[in-house]
Amino acid sequence: MIWHVLALLSLLSLTTTARADASSSHQTVAPVDPSLASLPSESTQVRAVPDFFAKGSRYWSATTGASHDGSLGQIYLTHLTIGHYLVDNLAIEYGGMFGYADAKRTPAGVLGGPELGIIWHFAKGQHWSTYLEGVAGAVFQQHPLAVDTLRFNFDLQPGGGATYRLRDHTMVQSGFRWHHLSNAQVRGRVHNFGYDGPMLYLKLRKSF
């Protein structure tokens, strides 16, 4: 009788083991989401490039340029400004300009004064932009550009150009402006001899 009981227990043990092995061999592995496999790893993700022209962005800039009036001479200018984007793609600039006037009718001399400008980027890519701009200022000259004119003039420079990103926070900018100087007849038409000529310039900008 004991042998029959032992045999029955052995048979039940073998049956239970076989069922457990069969169950484990048929377990399914959850499929991998193909969309997860296509995601780049952290080491291969592309680093986002900051938007130079976004609202709130700030920068300083240094500009050098030259203009020419066939009857009055040449003016060479340097501008040092700080810019701030009021909204996306639209910034104001404020600072100062100084330079040298190589006049034809009077002695050559230095000039300088404060300025305020605005720039609007109407088209842009990841590394470039094109823009329209305007600069207005007031300049005081060592010598007038003509005998009967004043040493004080208002300075207007409308124009446009293109920018190119060199690094994340550094950009080069170049363009064309029309350079106009006159004193708005503050002492009458006789003393208002305007300066008008094309200007080419190069600017370096760095955000902060």
Side-chain angles (χ1 to χ4, degrees):
M1 183 65 180
I2 295 176
W3 294 108
H4 291 323
V5 173
L6 292 176
L8 181 59
L9 292 176
S10 298
L11 181 60
L12 291 175
S13 176
L14 292 174
T15 303
T16 303
T17 304
R19 288 179 178 177
D21 292 342
S23 176
S24 62
S25 64
H26 287 85
Q27 288 180 352
T28 58
V29 179
V32 178
D33 189 348
S35 64
L36 296 178
S38 63
L39 291 176
S41 63
E42 292 183 1
S43 60
T44 59
Q45 287 181 355
V46 178
R47 181 170 53 87
V49 178
D51 187 352
F52 213 121
F53 317 120
K55 178 182 177 180
S57 299
R58 298 176 301 170
Y59 62 91
W60 62 262
S61 67
T63 307
T64 181
S67 63
H68 173 77
D69 182 309
S71 62
L72 295 179
Q74 293 76 232
I75 295 179
Y76 307 93
L77 286 176
T78 297
H79 305 252
L80 299 176
T81 59
I82 291 176
H84 178 76
Y85 281 88
L86 302 177
V87 296
D88 290 350
N89 306 318
L90 181 67
I92 60 169
E93 294 183 338
Y94 45 90
M97 69 180 91
F98 59 92
Y100 180 78
D102 186 11
K104 291 184 176 182
R105 305 184 183 186
T106 57
V110 297
L111 73 161
E115 68 173 83
L116 179 67
I118 187 169
I119 180 170
W120 171 53
H121 304 270
F122 60 87
K124 67 179 182 179
Q126 186 175 6
H127 298 285
W128 61 272
S129 78
T130 54
Y131 61 88
L132 296 174
E133 65 174 346
V135 178
V139 296
F140 300 87
Q141 301 160 210
Q142 183 180 5
H143 304 289
L145 294 175
V147 176
D148 295 326
T149 61
L150 307 180
R151 293 196 299 158
F152 167 79
N153 279 299
F154 295 105
D155 186 295
L156 299 176
Q157 300 176 28
T163 66
Y164 184 78
R165 185 189 301 270
L166 299 177
R167 297 180 181 177
D168 284 355
H169 302 286
T170 306
M171 182 170 289
V172 66
Q173 178 176 332
S174 183
F176 170 87
R177 294 174 180 169
W178 188 258
H179 193 189
H180 173 75
L181 285 170
S182 69
N183 57 48
Q185 302 183 21
V186 293
R187 291 192 179 177
R189 183 185 298 272
V190 177
H191 300 288
N192 185 37
F193 201 103
Y195 173 100
D196 288 281
M199 170 188 281
L200 296 176
Y201 68 93
L202 183 67
K203 175 186 287 189
L204 180 67
R205 298 173 43 165
K206 190 171 181 65
S207 62
F208 64 91

